[in-house]
Amino acid sequence: QLQLVESGGGSVQPGGSLRLSCTASGFILDSNAIGWFRQAPGKEREGVSCISMNGGPTTYADSGRGRFTISRDNAKNTVYLQMSSLRPEDTAVYYCAAARFPRCGSLWYAAGRYDYWGQGTQVTVSS
């Protein structure tokens, strides 16, 4: 069975930090681009970041650029999303997804191009 499992979410104050993890099981995570997406209540699911199979290139949506950092450790079958300077508008369920392509291209943010999804982890930013 092929699975992705997110962890590391929680509740933080504005300005705080979280590191999300996405761990794969059932396959070796070394040939897939991995995307992070998020969905807030009443909002469409949106792309947050993408990392290519070899760790580069990476890309970020405007919402997180300069505050979020994506990385991967293929030996651990894990991709990370380090989030800093968190804002209330970052509150959402965050999902990781494995693509059928190895490199993040111009359409990296299209959710339909990803084959496997985790269950999501809740991130709440509030005072």
Side-chain angles (χ1 to χ4, degrees):
Q1 185 177 4
L2 305 179
Q3 288 187 310
L4 295 171
V5 178
E6 303 94 336
S7 62
S11 182
V12 297
Q13 295 183 347
S17 299
L18 286 172
R19 188 176 77 159
L20 307 183
S21 298
C22 171
T23 299
S25 62
F27 66 101
I28 304 300
L29 204 164
D30 63 358
S31 298
N32 310 84
I34 302 296
W36 282 97
F37 293 77
R38 69 185 185 185
Q39 188 166 22
K43 303 288 185 66
E44 293 185 346
R45 186 169 298 188
E46 64 175 349
V48 176
S49 185
C50 182
I51 187 167
S52 298
M53 60 174 289
N54 62 352
T58 60
T59 190
Y60 300 89
D62 290 343
S63 60
R65 188 174 294 111
R67 300 185 298 120
F68 296 175
T69 301
I70 190 170
S71 62
R72 68 192 298 164
D73 186 342
N74 289 342
K76 296 181 178 179
N77 251 15
T78 299
V79 171
Y80 305 96
L81 183 69
Q82 177 69 48
M83 305 188 295
S84 300
S85 301
L86 285 164
R87 306 164 180 168
E89 53 264 43
D90 295 319
T91 297
V93 177
Y94 284 70
Y95 302 88
C96 68
R100 62 181 75 99
F101 47 87
R103 180 181 178 273
C104 303
S106 60
L107 298 178
W108 68 269
Y109 55 85
R113 303 187 69 216
Y114 294 77
D115 289 336
Y116 301 101
W117 292 81
Q119 85 290 345
T121 186
Q122 177 71 47
V123 171
T124 302
V125 185
S126 66
S127 299

